[in-house]
Amino acid sequence: MIHTKLSTNEVASLLNVTETTIKRWAESGRIPCSKTLGGHRKFKLNDIIIFAEKNSFPITGIIPPALSQQQMENLEFALYTKNYGKISEIFKNEALQGDRAGIEKLLTYLYKNQVPFITTIDEVLHPALVRIGELWQDGTIEVNQEHRSSAAVKEALIRFGAILHHKSSNGLETLCACTEGELHDIGIITISYALEIEGWKVINLGIDTPFDSLKSYIKKNKPKLVCLSATAPEVKRNTFIKEMNEVSKLVHQYRGIVICGGIYANTFLIEELGVDFIAYSVRDTIDFVKSAFNLKPGKKSNQ
Protein backbone atom coordinates (compact mmCIF):
# COMPACT_ATOMS: atom_id res chain seq x y z
CA MET A 1 0.00 0.00 0.00
CA ILE A 2 1.23 3.51 -0.84
CA HIS A 3 1.32 5.73 2.27
CA THR A 4 2.63 8.99 0.74
CA LYS A 5 0.73 11.96 2.20
CA LEU A 6 -0.47 14.68 -0.19
CA SER A 7 -1.73 18.20 0.38
CA THR A 8 -5.03 19.54 -0.96
CA ASN A 9 -3.13 21.38 -3.69
CA GLU A 10 -1.23 18.23 -4.74
CA VAL A 11 -4.45 16.18 -4.93
CA ALA A 12 -6.11 18.93 -6.98
CA SER A 13 -3.15 18.87 -9.38
CA LEU A 14 -3.29 15.09 -9.71
CA LEU A 15 -7.01 15.04 -10.51
CA ASN A 16 -6.96 18.33 -12.48
CA VAL A 17 -9.70 19.94 -10.41
CA THR A 18 -9.78 22.95 -8.08
CA GLU A 19 -8.75 22.88 -4.43
CA THR A 20 -12.31 23.87 -3.57
CA THR A 21 -13.59 20.70 -5.20
CA ILE A 22 -11.14 18.56 -3.23
CA LYS A 23 -12.14 20.26 0.02
CA ARG A 24 -15.83 19.65 -0.78
CA TRP A 25 -15.19 15.97 -1.52
CA ALA A 26 -13.22 15.64 1.69
CA GLU A 27 -15.93 17.31 3.80
CA SER A 28 -18.59 15.04 2.29
CA GLY A 29 -16.48 11.95 2.95
CA ARG A 30 -15.97 11.02 -0.70
CA ILE A 31 -12.20 11.11 -0.16
CA PRO A 32 -10.73 10.12 3.22
CA CYS A 33 -8.41 12.67 4.77
CA SER A 34 -6.85 13.66 8.06
CA LYS A 35 -5.94 17.05 9.46
CA THR A 36 -2.69 18.28 10.98
CA LEU A 37 -2.57 20.23 14.23
CA GLY A 38 -2.51 23.34 12.09
CA GLY A 39 -5.76 22.33 10.37
CA HIS A 40 -4.25 21.35 7.00
CA ARG A 41 -5.79 18.42 5.18
CA LYS A 42 -3.58 15.44 4.31
CA PHE A 43 -4.54 12.68 1.89
CA LYS A 44 -3.02 9.23 1.37
CA LEU A 45 -1.94 8.66 -2.21
CA ASN A 46 -3.41 5.15 -2.06
CA ASP A 47 -6.84 6.61 -1.19
CA ILE A 48 -6.61 9.00 -4.13
CA ILE A 49 -5.75 6.18 -6.53
CA ILE A 50 -8.68 4.09 -5.22
CA PHE A 51 -11.02 7.09 -5.56
CA ALA A 52 -9.87 7.76 -9.13
CA GLU A 53 -10.29 4.12 -10.18
CA LYS A 54 -13.70 3.76 -8.50
CA ASN A 55 -15.06 6.91 -10.14
CA SER A 56 -13.30 6.47 -13.51
CA PHE A 57 -11.43 9.68 -12.82
CA PRO A 58 -8.19 10.12 -14.85
CA ILE A 59 -5.09 11.00 -12.87
CA THR A 60 -3.39 13.61 -15.05
CA GLY A 61 -0.89 15.14 -12.68
CA ILE A 62 2.40 13.95 -11.19
CA ILE A 63 2.15 10.85 -9.00
CA PRO A 64 4.91 10.88 -6.39
CA PRO A 65 7.00 7.72 -6.17
CA ALA A 66 6.13 5.27 -3.39
CA LEU A 67 8.65 6.53 -0.86
CA SER A 68 8.50 6.99 2.87
CA GLN A 69 7.63 10.47 4.15
CA GLN A 70 11.28 11.07 5.05
CA GLN A 71 12.47 9.88 1.63
CA MET A 72 9.89 12.07 -0.08
CA GLU A 73 11.00 15.10 1.89
CA ASN A 74 14.63 14.32 1.00
CA LEU A 75 13.68 13.96 -2.67
CA GLU A 76 11.78 17.23 -2.78
CA PHE A 77 14.62 19.09 -1.07
CA ALA A 78 17.16 17.49 -3.42
CA LEU A 79 15.07 18.57 -6.40
CA TYR A 80 14.85 22.12 -5.07
CA THR A 81 18.62 22.32 -4.49
CA LYS A 82 19.48 20.24 -7.58
CA ASN A 83 21.36 17.78 -5.39
CA TYR A 84 21.39 14.95 -7.91
CA GLY A 85 23.81 12.94 -5.79
CA LYS A 86 21.12 12.63 -3.11
CA ILE A 87 18.53 11.69 -5.74
CA SER A 88 20.91 9.07 -7.11
CA GLU A 89 21.17 7.54 -3.63
CA ILE A 90 17.37 7.28 -3.48
CA PHE A 91 17.37 5.76 -6.97
CA LYS A 92 20.03 3.23 -5.94
CA ASN A 93 17.95 2.10 -2.97
CA GLU A 94 14.87 1.63 -5.17
CA ALA A 95 16.94 -0.36 -7.67
CA LEU A 96 18.39 -2.60 -4.94
CA GLN A 97 14.84 -3.52 -4.00
CA GLY A 98 14.18 -4.58 -7.60
CA ASP A 99 11.12 -2.33 -7.60
CA ARG A 100 10.48 -1.74 -11.30
CA ALA A 101 7.24 0.19 -10.70
CA GLY A 102 8.90 2.37 -8.05
CA ILE A 103 11.83 3.15 -10.34
CA GLU A 104 9.50 4.05 -13.19
CA LYS A 105 7.50 6.40 -10.94
CA LEU A 106 10.70 8.03 -9.72
CA LEU A 107 11.93 8.57 -13.30
CA THR A 108 8.55 10.00 -14.28
CA TYR A 109 8.45 12.23 -11.20
CA LEU A 110 11.85 13.70 -12.04
CA TYR A 111 10.91 14.22 -15.69
CA LYS A 112 7.64 15.97 -14.84
CA ASN A 113 9.49 18.14 -12.36
CA GLN A 114 11.59 19.52 -15.24
CA VAL A 115 14.72 17.42 -14.68
CA PRO A 116 16.09 16.84 -18.23
CA PHE A 117 16.36 13.23 -19.36
CA ILE A 118 20.09 13.59 -19.95
CA THR A 119 20.61 14.93 -16.43
CA THR A 120 18.66 12.03 -14.96
CA ILE A 121 20.80 9.51 -16.84
CA ASP A 122 24.20 11.10 -16.24
CA GLU A 123 23.73 12.30 -12.67
CA VAL A 124 21.14 9.92 -11.18
CA LEU A 125 20.88 6.58 -13.00
CA HIS A 126 24.49 6.04 -14.06
CA PRO A 127 26.10 6.80 -10.66
CA ALA A 128 23.53 4.55 -8.96
CA LEU A 129 24.34 1.62 -11.25
CA VAL A 130 28.07 2.17 -10.78
CA ARG A 131 27.59 2.08 -7.02
CA ILE A 132 25.53 -1.12 -7.25
CA GLY A 133 28.33 -2.68 -9.32
CA GLU A 134 30.83 -1.69 -6.64
CA LEU A 135 28.65 -3.25 -3.94
CA TRP A 136 28.66 -6.51 -5.90
CA GLN A 137 32.42 -6.41 -6.47
CA ASP A 138 33.19 -5.92 -2.78
CA GLY A 139 30.79 -8.69 -1.77
CA THR A 140 28.21 -6.49 -0.07
CA ILE A 141 25.47 -7.82 -2.36
CA GLU A 142 25.24 -11.08 -4.30
CA VAL A 143 25.23 -11.33 -8.07
CA ASN A 144 21.53 -12.25 -8.09
CA GLN A 145 20.69 -8.92 -6.43
CA GLU A 146 22.88 -7.03 -8.90
CA HIS A 147 21.12 -8.76 -11.80
CA ARG A 148 17.72 -8.12 -10.25
CA SER A 149 18.53 -4.43 -9.85
CA SER A 150 19.76 -4.07 -13.44
CA ALA A 151 16.70 -5.89 -14.80
CA ALA A 152 14.33 -3.64 -12.82
CA VAL A 153 16.09 -0.49 -14.03
CA LYS A 154 16.00 -1.69 -17.65
CA GLU A 155 12.28 -2.56 -17.51
CA ALA A 156 11.43 0.75 -15.86
CA LEU A 157 13.53 2.67 -18.38
CA ILE A 158 11.78 1.02 -21.33
CA ARG A 159 8.35 1.87 -19.93
CA PHE A 160 9.45 5.39 -19.04
CA GLY A 161 10.67 5.95 -22.61
CA ALA A 162 7.08 6.05 -23.85
CA ILE A 163 6.41 9.47 -22.28
CA LEU A 164 9.54 11.25 -23.52
CA HIS A 165 8.92 14.20 -25.83
CA HIS A 166 10.69 14.02 -29.20
CA LYS A 167 11.67 16.94 -31.40
CA SER A 168 10.66 16.94 -35.06
CA SER A 169 12.64 14.54 -37.26
CA ASN A 170 16.04 15.83 -38.37
CA GLY A 171 15.97 13.46 -41.35
CA LEU A 172 18.93 11.39 -40.12
CA GLU A 173 19.27 7.77 -39.03
CA THR A 174 21.60 6.29 -36.44
CA LEU A 175 22.57 2.72 -35.77
CA CYS A 176 22.93 1.77 -32.11
CA ALA A 177 24.22 -1.56 -30.83
CA CYS A 178 26.17 -3.36 -28.15
CA THR A 179 29.37 -4.79 -29.59
CA GLU A 180 30.05 -8.51 -29.89
CA GLY A 181 30.11 -10.22 -26.50
CA GLU A 182 28.48 -7.24 -24.73
CA LEU A 183 25.39 -8.24 -22.74
CA HIS A 184 24.72 -4.97 -20.89
CA ASP A 185 22.40 -2.70 -22.86
CA ILE A 186 21.14 -0.05 -20.42
CA GLY A 187 23.80 2.35 -21.73
CA ILE A 188 22.83 1.96 -25.38
CA ILE A 189 19.14 2.26 -24.50
CA THR A 190 19.76 5.63 -22.83
CA ILE A 191 21.80 6.88 -25.81
CA SER A 192 19.04 5.70 -28.16
CA TYR A 193 16.41 7.62 -26.19
CA ALA A 194 18.57 10.74 -26.02
CA LEU A 195 19.03 10.70 -29.80
CA GLU A 196 15.33 10.08 -30.42
CA ILE A 197 14.56 13.11 -28.26
CA GLU A 198 16.78 15.12 -30.61
CA GLY A 199 14.84 13.94 -33.68
CA TRP A 200 16.97 11.01 -34.85
CA LYS A 201 15.50 7.83 -36.29
CA VAL A 202 17.18 5.13 -34.19
CA ILE A 203 17.79 1.52 -35.17
CA ASN A 204 18.88 -0.37 -32.05
CA LEU A 205 20.29 -3.85 -32.70
CA GLY A 206 20.58 -4.60 -28.98
CA ILE A 207 23.05 -6.81 -27.14
CA ASP A 208 25.89 -8.96 -28.46
CA THR A 209 25.85 -7.81 -32.09
CA PRO A 210 28.50 -9.79 -34.03
CA PHE A 211 31.00 -7.51 -35.74
CA ASP A 212 30.36 -9.25 -39.09
CA SER A 213 26.63 -8.58 -38.78
CA LEU A 214 27.33 -4.99 -37.75
CA LYS A 215 29.52 -4.39 -40.79
CA SER A 216 26.97 -6.04 -43.05
CA TYR A 217 24.24 -3.67 -41.83
CA ILE A 218 26.51 -0.66 -42.31
CA LYS A 219 27.38 -1.65 -45.89
CA LYS A 220 23.73 -2.04 -46.78
CA ASN A 221 22.19 0.95 -44.98
CA LYS A 222 25.06 3.48 -44.76
CA PRO A 223 23.94 5.15 -41.50
CA LYS A 224 25.32 8.63 -40.89
CA LEU A 225 25.91 7.87 -37.22
CA VAL A 226 26.91 4.63 -35.49
CA CYS A 227 26.81 4.45 -31.68
CA LEU A 228 28.31 1.39 -30.02
CA SER A 229 28.40 0.33 -26.38
CA ALA A 230 31.14 -1.76 -24.76
CA THR A 231 30.95 -2.16 -20.99
CA ALA A 232 32.41 -5.64 -20.54
CA PRO A 233 32.47 -7.42 -23.91
CA GLU A 234 33.71 -11.00 -23.88
CA VAL A 235 36.29 -10.52 -26.63
CA LYS A 236 40.05 -10.16 -26.46
CA ARG A 237 41.44 -6.63 -26.38
CA ASN A 238 43.40 -7.03 -29.63
CA THR A 239 40.32 -8.44 -31.35
CA PHE A 240 38.20 -5.54 -30.13
CA ILE A 241 40.74 -3.00 -31.44
CA LYS A 242 40.97 -4.73 -34.83
CA GLU A 243 37.20 -5.02 -35.28
CA MET A 244 36.48 -1.48 -34.13
CA ASN A 245 38.99 -0.09 -36.60
CA GLU A 246 37.36 -2.07 -39.40
CA VAL A 247 33.91 -0.79 -38.42
CA SER A 248 35.19 2.79 -38.22
CA LYS A 249 36.93 2.56 -41.59
CA LEU A 250 33.75 1.25 -43.19
CA VAL A 251 31.55 3.99 -41.70
CA HIS A 252 34.04 6.66 -42.75
CA GLN A 253 33.84 5.41 -46.35
CA TYR A 254 30.21 6.53 -46.28
CA ARG A 255 31.17 9.81 -44.59
CA GLY A 256 29.59 8.71 -41.35
CA ILE A 257 30.64 9.13 -37.73
CA VAL A 258 31.37 6.46 -35.12
CA ILE A 259 30.92 6.86 -31.37
CA CYS A 260 31.84 4.22 -28.81
CA GLY A 261 31.05 4.36 -25.09
CA GLY A 262 30.95 2.21 -21.99
CA ILE A 263 33.36 1.34 -19.19
CA TYR A 264 35.47 -0.89 -21.43
CA ALA A 265 35.52 1.59 -24.32
CA ASN A 266 36.67 4.28 -21.91
CA THR A 267 39.98 2.42 -21.43
CA PHE A 268 41.01 3.20 -25.02
CA LEU A 269 42.20 6.28 -26.86
CA ILE A 270 40.29 7.50 -29.89
CA GLU A 271 43.31 6.72 -32.09
CA GLU A 272 43.40 3.09 -30.94
CA LEU A 273 39.84 2.38 -32.07
CA GLY A 274 39.75 4.72 -35.07
CA VAL A 275 36.44 6.19 -33.87
CA ASP A 276 35.41 9.85 -33.95
CA PHE A 277 34.40 10.13 -30.31
CA ILE A 278 34.62 8.09 -27.11
CA ALA A 279 31.58 8.74 -24.94
CA TYR A 280 31.93 9.28 -21.20
CA SER A 281 28.44 10.69 -20.69
CA VAL A 282 25.17 11.10 -22.55
CA ARG A 283 25.43 14.90 -22.41
CA ASP A 284 28.90 14.95 -23.99
CA THR A 285 27.69 12.54 -26.68
CA ILE A 286 24.67 14.65 -27.61
CA ASP A 287 26.75 17.83 -27.63
CA PHE A 288 29.28 16.17 -29.93
CA VAL A 289 26.56 14.93 -32.28
CA LYS A 290 24.91 18.35 -32.46
CA SER A 291 28.23 19.94 -33.34
CA ALA A 292 29.30 17.24 -35.82
CA PHE A 293 26.02 17.40 -37.75
CA ASN A 294 25.45 21.14 -37.32
CA LEU A 295 22.09 20.49 -35.70
CA LYS A 296 20.37 23.60 -34.40
CA PRO A 297 16.91 24.06 -32.84
CA GLY A 298 14.22 23.87 -35.48
CA LYS A 299 16.63 22.98 -38.27
CA LYS A 300 17.64 19.80 -40.03
CA SER A 301 21.18 18.72 -40.74
CA ASN A 302 22.69 20.04 -43.95
CA GLN A 303 24.68 16.83 -44.39
Side-chain angles (χ1 to χ4, degrees):
M1 181 176 292
I2 302 172
H3 295 286
T4 302
K5 293 293 186 70
L6 304 175
S7 67
T8 302
N9 177 264
E10 288 171 328
V11 175
S13 296
L14 277 176
L15 300 179
N16 198 27
V17 297
T18 65
E19 289 188 51
T20 301
T21 297
I22 297 300
K23 291 177 182 177
R24 185 173 69 251
W25 287 345
E27 291 299 325
S28 66
R30 291 189 66 188
I31 301 180
C33 79
S34 59
K35 287 189 177 181
T36 66
L37 293 177
H40 299 291
R41 294 179 178 82
K42 290 295 179 181
F43 302 81
K44 289 183 180 179
L45 176 57
N46 195 67
D47 289 335
I48 302 305
I49 293 175
I50 292 174
F51 170 82
E53 292 177 345
K54 182 178 179 180
N55 294 277
S56 299
F57 221 99
I59 295 179
T60 58
I62 303 172
I63 301 178
L67 303 174
S68 68
Q69 183 174 350
Q70 184 60 55
Q71 285 178 313
M72 199 62 211
E73 289 175 357
N74 289 340
L75 175 60
E76 290 175 349
F77 183 73
L79 274 171
Y80 179 74
T81 59
K82 296 185 178 181
N83 186 343
Y84 299 117
K86 176 63 70 175
I87 299 174
S88 182
E89 182 69 17
I90 295 172
F91 186 96
K92 182 204 72 178
N93 292 335
E94 289 295 295
L96 284 172
Q97 295 178 44
D99 185 2
R100 190 269 303 159
I103 296 169
E104 182 186 352
K105 287 180 181 178
L106 179 53
L107 290 171
T108 302
Y109 189 74
L110 296 176
Y111 185 66
K112 290 192 174 183
N113 273 284
Q114 310 305 312
V115 179
F117 174 76
I118 291 178
T119 300
T120 295
I121 299 305
D122 284 346
E123 301 190 42
V124 176
L125 185 149
H126 179 68
L129 291 181
V130 169
R131 181 58 184 143
I132 289 173
E134 292 171 345
L135 292 175
W136 167 66
Q137 289 180 333
D138 66 22
T140 302
I141 63 174
E142 297 183 14
V143 67
N144 64 76
Q145 191 173 5
E146 190 273 337
H147 286 181
R148 180 188 178 199
S149 299
S150 296
V153 171
K154 178 180 175 179
E155 291 175 18
L157 191 60
I158 291 172
R159 291 172 179 267
F160 168 65
I163 72 168
L164 296 174
H165 173 72
H166 297 170
K167 296 179 181 178
S168 300
S169 172
N170 61 23
L172 296 173
E173 178 178 302
T174 179
L175 170 64
C176 292
C178 292
T179 59
E180 187 172 321
E182 176 57 69
L183 303 177
H184 303 82
D185 59 349
I186 291 179
I188 204 65
I189 290 173
T190 60
I191 286 292
S192 295
Y193 287 177
L195 288 168
E196 287 178 340
I197 289 172
E198 294 299 325
W200 286 79
K201 177 183 178 181
V202 176
I203 305 298
N204 188 346
L205 301 183
I207 63 171
D208 191 19
T209 305
F211 281 110
D212 286 344
S213 180
L214 187 59
K215 287 181 280 190
S216 177
Y217 183 95
I218 293 170
K219 288 178 182 177
K220 181 178 180 180
N221 296 280
K222 303 177 180 58
K224 284 292 184 181
L225 176 64
V226 174
C227 295
L228 303 176
S229 178
T231 298
E234 298 178 355
V235 295
K236 293 181 179 179
R237 190 175 180 89
N238 289 340
T239 300
F240 184 79
I241 292 175
K242 172 180 174 294
E243 294 290 353
M244 282 301 304
N245 273 275
E246 290 184 5
V247 167
S248 298
K249 184 178 180 180
L250 182 60
V251 174
H252 292 157
Q253 287 180 5
Y254 303 118
R255 301 178 67 182
I257 287 175
V258 183
I259 295 174
C260 192
I263 296 174
Y264 185 67
N266 294 160
T267 66
F268 295 92
L269 299 174
I270 289 178
E271 295 78 14
E272 290 181 275
L273 302 182
V275 299
D276 299 281
F277 187 73
I278 291 182
Y280 289 89
S281 70
V282 176
R283 182 173 301 282
D284 286 347
T285 302
I286 296 302
D287 287 345
F288 173 80
V289 169
K290 286 181 177 179
S291 175
F293 289 89
N294 193 29
L295 294 173
K296 299 178 180 179
K299 295 184 179 181
K300 294 187 177 182
S301 169
N302 56 13
Q303 295 191 30

